[in-house]
Amino acid sequence: VIAICLVLALVLQLILSKTRFGSQLRAALVVTGVLLSPTLQQILANPVSAFLGRISFGLYLLHAPLIWSAGGLSYFALSPTTGHLPAALLASMLVTGLALGLSALFESLIERPSIRISGRLASWMALLPRRRLDLPLAGAVACADNNNWRKP
């Protein structure tokens, strides 16, 4: 079943790569394959996968600037003496380590506190009385709901 889902995802990649919904269908097939496979579920439930899931937002934000800065600088500093392949490997290892470390720091120092603050703010705002916004468009929409296009 998993192989069928993955083959269908690849076929859809070839057929629907230029269409609007191709990536959504491929993602749905990959998710279906994972849901139907206890082995893949175990792999994705291990502590390393959980850690990568926790720091994924920080990785998303930081990976490109790290590649462009630390990766480029280290590659260009190393390539004249070590050659292309060793410099590229060392620069990749440096960027990977920096990205993982900085993303873990980002998660603990910025992301988690921000989530806590937003929860407190949402609780506080739920206690406030709701006020009606007096916007010209809001009145027009309210009248349009009653098939009456006059302004209130």
Side-chain angles (χ1 to χ4, degrees), residues 2 6 12 21 41 49 54 59 62 68 75 80 90 93 97 99-100 104 116-117 119 128 142 145 149-150:
I2 299 162
L6 293 176
L12 285 172
F21 300 108
Q41 289 176 14
S49 296
R54 273 195 319 277
L59 277 172
L62 298 172
W68 297 330
Y75 172 78
L90 289 170
M93 291 169 47
L100 290 172
R116 275 195 306 273
I117 290 169
L128 294 175
D145 288 342
W149 289 93
R150 293 178 285 126

Side-chain angles (χ1 to χ4, degrees), residues 24-41:
Q24 289 91 342
L25 289 171
R26 290 188 304 273
L29 284 171
V30 170
V31 168
T32 302
V34 170
L35 290 175
L36 295 175
S37 170
T39 305
L40 285 176
Q41 289 176 14

Side-chain angles (χ1 to χ4, degrees), residues 49-65:
S49 296
F51 169 73
L52 291 174
R54 273 195 319 277
I55 67 167
S56 63
F57 184 62
L59 277 172
Y60 165 73
L61 291 178
L62 298 172
H63 80 280

Side-chain angles (χ1 to χ4, degrees), residues 13 68 109 113 115 123 134 151:
Q13 168 68 28
W68 297 330
L109 298 177
I115 291 169
S123 300
D134 265 342
K151 278 195 167 184

Side-chain angles (χ1 to χ4, degrees), residues 5 13 27 29 48 56 63 65 74 80 84 87 97 118 129 133 135 140-143 147:
C5 287
Q13 168 68 28
L29 284 171
V48 173
S56 63
H63 80 280
S74 61
H84 166 68
S118 69
L133 293 176
L135 300 173
V141 171
C143 290
N147 291 330

